[in-house]
Amino acid sequence: MILQWLDERTGFSSVWQTLFVRKIPEAKGLTAWAYTLGSATLFIFIVQAVTGALLAMNYVPSPEHAYDSLRFIDEKVLWGAFVRGLHHWGATLMVILTGLHMVRVYFMGAYKYPREMTWVVGVALLLLVFGFGFTGYLLPWDQKAYWSTVVGVNMAGQVPILGPYLAKVLMGGDDMGAATLTRFYALHVLVLPMISVAMVGTHLFLVVWHGISEPPEQKRDPGAAGR
Amino acid sequence: MYLSDDFKQELSRRKFLHRAIVILGGMIGMVLSGIGIGYFISPVLGKKREDWVDLGPVAAIALDVPVKLEFVERRRDSWVTNEKRSSVWVLTSNGKDFIAFDPHCTHLGCPYRWDEVKQRFLCPCHNAVFAADGRVVSGPPPRALDRFPVRVKAGRLSIRPQVEEKV
């Protein structure tokens, strides 16, 4: 009753139909598993968003309190260490999964016409994942975080001509410090997520719009699904 | 018989996989969101901390006259530790049983003082007057002076500088 009322006014069932009850290529074994990498990445992305929001409830992006607030999460908050662990390992898994997903698309030739823009947006998403990794790594504000970001900023400083300016913009000043931490935090929890949501939306839209490409070795049946 | 036939007929590979995905996915979702919810509502679940502040040896406190004692309250605020200079009015008649008054008037929170001559606590803000035991004698306060929990252990007096109940 209520569902029908809602459906008449929102059309969610046809949206559901388009998203989840669509034809996908037949695949077996390892090939079939390779097709799950994109969904797996999306799942980890959602886990990162949720655990990230939870961590942000207690984390303070200031040199005095950053590390103490993380210790508070680890020691005082219920399952805090586990949630932080999920976010930590999810970040690593994100890089691995996006890489594997990309390899899958590359070796199956799935980036070819008409899916070039899906690939381009996907590469942008890969860069965003690296951006998340780089900005998130600084946030614990321990020795490892600090010095690896120093190295990262020095790398940016090596860019010809623009390098020194780039490094200053990254650090939010002449040296690594409080401004660097707040800057990285803002990028990590506001700027990058907003861009990511838009990009993930575009990526998924294109995936549904074009349908999933068939595995290359499969025999083509002109009547079969898959454009 | 019918049942098992029905079952065989109904549980196709597709249906089995569908069910497996829903059940396993639901379990994963429940565990993950359960952990998230636990994290989110953990302030409700934590035990209340007891922060006793040592006020020194019992023997040093004069009998039958309110004494103002200064102390430094070290309070943990999540990941921040705050130090606050604070004080308390302590009254004892026998050196064993103590009353500790919150040094703020129950009217609007002004600090009051002890008047030796009148033998009363006087609040300068709105002329509130309290007796030595905290009763309201005159003025606008809605209730007697608030008390802090008191503890005597090994000859030393300590208080917990938080008003438990407002009588």
Side-chain angles (χ1 to χ4, degrees):
Chain A
M1 262 290 282
I2 296 169
L3 283 182
Q4 205 190 334
W5 187 92
L6 266 176
D7 192 25
E8 274 169 20
R9 269 140 264 253
T10 61
F12 70 82
S13 71
S14 59
V15 173
W16 176 269
Q17 198 83 9
T18 329
L19 286 180
F20 297 106
V21 197
R22 59 199 158 93
K23 289 199 158 63
I24 54 166
E26 215 178 314
K28 286 193 186 78
L30 209 60
T31 322
W33 280 106
Y35 276 105
T36 65
L37 290 166
S39 312
T41 316
L42 179 63
F43 177 72
I44 301 295
F45 177 75
I46 293 166
V47 170
Q48 293 300 90
V50 173
T51 53
L54 290 172
L55 291 172
M57 284 174 193
N58 292 314
Y59 173 76
V60 185
S62 119
E64 292 96 336
H65 299 310
Y67 191 70
D68 288 338
S69 62
L70 286 183
R71 275 193 49 192
F72 177 80
I73 291 171
D74 283 347
E75 292 165 13
K76 297 280 154 64
V77 180
L78 181 67
W79 295 323
F82 187 80
V83 169
R84 196 183 156 204
L86 275 182
H87 200 74
H88 175 99
W89 293 107
T92 308
L93 206 55
M94 207 54 200
V95 176
I96 294 172
L97 284 173
T98 39
L100 287 176
H101 179 51
M102 200 175 182
V103 166
R104 189 295 274 177
V105 168
Y106 179 78
F107 281 108
M108 287 190 180
Y111 55 87
K112 292 176 186 171
Y113 176 83
R115 300 187 179 83
E116 291 100 323
M117 278 317 290
T118 323
W119 171 269
V120 169
V121 175
V123 170
L125 281 167
L126 181 73
L127 295 177
L128 280 168
V129 168
F130 293 155
F132 273 115
F134 182 54
T135 52
Y137 208 70
L138 177 69
L139 301 185
W141 203 250
D142 53 12
Q143 289 291 325
K144 192 170 71 169
Y146 185 92
W147 291 107
S148 60
T149 304
V150 166
V151 172
V153 167
N154 284 342
M155 283 182 194
Q158 298 300 309
V159 172
I161 305 160
L162 288 176
Y165 304 105
L166 216 55
K168 272 192 190 183
V169 169
L170 270 178
M171 291 189 295
D174 293 334
D175 297 298
M176 285 267 293
T180 322
L181 189 53
T182 46
R183 184 165 282 245
F184 273 46
Y185 183 68
L187 288 171
H188 191 80
V189 306
L190 292 169
V191 180
L192 295 179
M194 282 195 285
I195 303 174
S196 296
V197 167
M199 289 287 191
V200 169
T202 314
H203 197 69
L204 291 180
F205 169 76
L206 289 170
V207 166
V208 174
W209 183 255
H210 291 302
I212 309 287
S213 70
E214 284 185 56
E217 74 271 76
Q218 206 169 25
K219 256 193 267 170
R220 306 277 163 154
D221 171 4
R227 270 165 269 184
Chain B
M1 271 266 288
Y2 283 115
L3 228 157
S4 67
D5 270 5
D6 250 19
F7 192 68
K8 247 185 236 161
Q9 211 180 10
E10 264 187 33
L11 197 68
S12 59
R13 176 187 153 87
R14 173 178 290 260
K15 212 156 211 174
F16 170 76
L17 286 174
H18 185 260
R19 266 183 215 171
I21 287 168
V22 169
I23 291 169
L24 287 176
M27 271 157 57
I28 292 170
M30 261 155 51
V31 168
L32 284 181
S33 50
I35 285 164
I37 289 165
Y39 182 108
F40 185 63
I41 65 164
S42 65
V44 181
L45 307 171
K47 267 185 297 177
K48 258 199 143 180
R49 273 191 324 278
E50 302 215 329
D51 303 311
W52 290 95
V53 179
D54 181 58
L55 291 181
V58 169
I61 297 165
L63 299 182
D64 289 322
V65 59
V67 186
K68 192 180 192 185
L69 296 176
E70 310 268 339
F71 61 92
V72 176
E73 187 187 352
R74 190 171 287 118
R75 186 173 278 183
R76 286 196 59 81
D77 175 8
S78 296
W79 48 85
V80 186
T81 307
N82 289 319
E83 283 196 358
K84 199 174 83 182
R85 293 206 148 273
S86 199
S87 61
V88 58
W89 283 96
V90 174
L91 176 66
T92 181
S93 54
N94 55 9
K96 285 177 196 140
D97 304 311
F98 290 84
I99 301 172
F101 294 118
D102 182 342
H104 300 103
C105 176
T106 52
H107 177 221
L108 290 173
C110 291
Y112 52 82
R113 65 187 175 84
W114 174 251
D115 191 306
E116 288 281 352
V117 182
K118 291 180 185 157
Q119 291 288 302
R120 292 279 189 260
F121 288 115
L122 305 179
C123 179
C125 292
H126 304 94
N127 292 321
V129 180
F130 299 92
D133 63 356
R135 274 182 304 112
V136 182
V137 174
S138 68
R143 59 179 187 275
L145 289 173
D146 291 323
R147 298 178 179 198
F148 293 145
V150 181
R151 189 175 72 179
V152 180
K153 222 179 194 179
R156 295 184 76 84
L157 176 67
S158 34
I159 56 158
R160 205 160 73 221
Q162 285 140 36
V163 179
E164 301 273 280
E165 49 191 306
K166 300 194 169 170
V167 185

